[in-house]
Each structure stands twice: as structure tokens, then as C-alpha cells.
Amino acid sequence: MSGKVFLIGAGPGDPELMTLRALRMLQEADVVVYDRLVSTDILNLHAEGARLIPVGKAPKCHTVPQDRINEILVEEASAGHTVARLKGGDPMIFGRGSEEAAHLMANGIPVEYAPGITAAQGASCSTGVPLTHRGLATSVQYVTGHRQADKVLDLDWKRLADPDSTLVVYMGVANIGQIAMGLMTKNLPGSTPVLAVGKATTPDEHRMVSRLDRLAADVRDADLKAPTLFIIGKVVSLFAERPVAELLEQAHG
């Protein structure tokens, strides 16, 4: 008897940002296989009696390798269970959802999806900084700031250094200096404003405003940790908590 797997996007952390579909799937599951960044408030929405299996990863600390996660999903579904694979953000945006789905389908396991609000959207709404804005940004680009097994970043810096686009960097704390330098070498101005948002949409959310040519030093001085998202581009000028120019002037003299 074969069960099935729900690939569920839990969103960036606030339970109110989950979709109704995601909530229904979570509450139908016998087994919940969840990532480290899924908030406790969301995890607690599981069905009574559901078995919880943590498979979270931290930077440079993958206690459960991806291959083993794939095996767990197949094993649980093959035993006839309905499995919720619960991921922070959206499972199809830097969430390896497609890799897991391919492995499951290759083993004859049915897969259904529930999209989630990705961290960029959550951070945009919690800070009031839009990802696109008429006259400031006509497009938005998402990029991951690290490579598997800590390989060298080989990003298309010319394409990313578009002054009329907003660049959102996921998982970029460790390599943010290299990212900033790569963008500036392709003529994105060093004065380009940057907003770093940690733990977006949660009670522990924190923000830091910088500019591209000072970003690496500011991240180091602020001791920013993952998960932190970077919004790079002219839209950051709309950050309304305090005027960005004032923040930068006070921070850097």
C-alpha cells in the first residue's frame, strides 16, 4: 500500500501567511518531515498524533543529507502514510522541492504541492519595501548566495548588476562581500542601497540598511546570521521606517 507526499511551503515564518491549502495538507498528514526554518507556531498546527521527523540543515552542518531525506520520504510513503514535507518559504524557490518530487515520482509515489510565500515577498511586505516600483525597478531577480559544497560562486554578474532591477539574495551572509564586489565590477554603483532583513515576518525580525560598497563591513559589524535576506536596488530608498539617507549618514558619518 502506497501513501503520498505533500510538498508544502510554510512561508517565511508567520502562520497567518500560510495558504489554506498548505494548512489543510499539514493537518491531513500522518508524518511531518520538516526543515529547520519552519517556525514552531507553524509546526504546532500538525494533526494530533502525527509523527514529526526533523531534517533541517544549517550552514556547513547538514545533519541529514539530501539523499537521506529523499529516502525518508519514500520509506514513509511506501508504508502507506500521508507525508507532509514541510519547507520554509516556497518549496520550488531554492527549496529543492523539484529534486524531491523527481525522486518520489521515480519511485511511484504520488506528489501534490502547496505553494508558500517566499522570503522575498514576506520581507517586502513586512518592511514596506516593494520589489518592483514604477520608475525604480521594472523587474526583480532572485539568486542564491551560495553553491553546493561551498563551491565558488559563478553568478552572471553582468545580468545581475542591472540598475533598473531589484536583486534579492537568499542565503548570502557568508559570501556577501564577494557578491557586492561582483556587482560593482559590472558597474552597479557602490552607492546602491541595500536592506538586510533577518528572520522576516517573525517576532524576531531585524533590519539593517547599508549600501553596496559598505555592505560586507556592515554585515560583519552587525554580526548578521542566517537566515538573512538582502534586497539590493533603488527600491530600498522607499524604506519608510526612517529615511534611508539619514540612516546611512548616521551610520557612516
Side-chain angles (χ1 to χ4, degrees):
M1 178 180 178
S2 178
K4 57 186 175 182
V5 174
F6 296 141
L7 285 171
I8 302 173
D14 184 344
E16 292 188 349
L17 297 180
M18 287 184 71
T19 66
L20 294 175
R21 179 182 178 89
L23 180 60
R24 173 184 60 79
M25 286 180 167
L26 177 58
Q27 294 180 338
E28 289 179 1
D30 309 307
V31 178
V32 180
V33 180
Y34 66 96
D35 283 346
R36 179 178 66 92
L37 296 181
V38 174
S39 70
T40 300
D41 288 341
I42 289 175
L43 191 60
N44 287 340
L45 297 173
H46 66 78
E48 184 177 355
R51 183 156 45 89
L52 307 181
I53 302 177
V55 294
K57 301 179 181 71
K60 300 183 183 298
C61 183
H62 295 182
T63 55
V64 185
Q66 186 62 50
D67 288 346
R68 178 55 189 148
I69 295 174
N70 294 346
E71 292 171 359
I72 290 171
L73 297 175
V74 170
E75 290 167 3
E76 294 294 340
S78 296
H81 299 139
T82 297
V83 182
R85 176 65 175 106
L86 192 59
K87 297 171 172 286
D90 183 282
M92 309 300 269
I93 299 179
F94 304 129
R96 297 189 176 180
S98 57
E99 295 177 32
E100 294 175 0
H103 185 78
L104 288 162
M105 289 186 286
N107 284 273
I109 306 297
V111 178
E112 297 180 36
Y113 302 86
I117 290 177
T118 190
Q121 294 169 308
S124 175
C125 288
S126 67
T127 62
V129 173
L131 299 179
T132 60
H133 186 86
R134 187 166 53 181
L136 296 179
T138 58
S139 64
V140 59
Q141 303 183 76
Y142 294 168
V143 66
T144 176
H146 84 289
R147 283 289 183 262
Q148 186 177 10
D150 296 323
K151 294 179 181 178
V152 175
L153 285 176
D154 55 353
L155 301 176
D156 185 347
W157 301 113
K158 182 177 181 180
R159 176 178 60 81
L160 297 176
D162 180 355
D164 296 317
S165 180
T166 300
L167 178 62
V168 180
V169 180
Y170 290 69
M171 299 172 280
V173 171
N175 294 321
I176 199 61
Q178 181 184 349
I179 292 167
M181 184 61 66
L183 295 171
M184 288 188 289
T185 59
K186 295 302 179 181
N187 299 319
L188 192 63
S191 59
T192 302
V194 181
L195 176 63
V197 186
K199 299 183 178 180
T201 79
T202 73
D204 298 322
E205 177 177 303
H206 51 276
R207 299 112 173 236
M208 184 197 76
V209 175
S210 183
R211 47 185 278 170
L212 202 58
D213 57 3
R214 297 167 176 162
L215 184 56
D218 286 348
V219 168
R220 182 181 63 248
D221 292 345
D223 195 26
L224 294 186
K225 306 292 185 185
T228 295
L229 188 86
F230 296 91
I231 300 175
I232 302 172
K234 290 181 284 189
V235 292
V236 177
S237 65
L238 301 177
F239 185 51
E241 190 168 279
R242 285 171 62 195
V244 169
E246 177 187 342
L247 283 166
L248 294 177
E249 181 179 358
Q250 291 187 5
H252 304 291

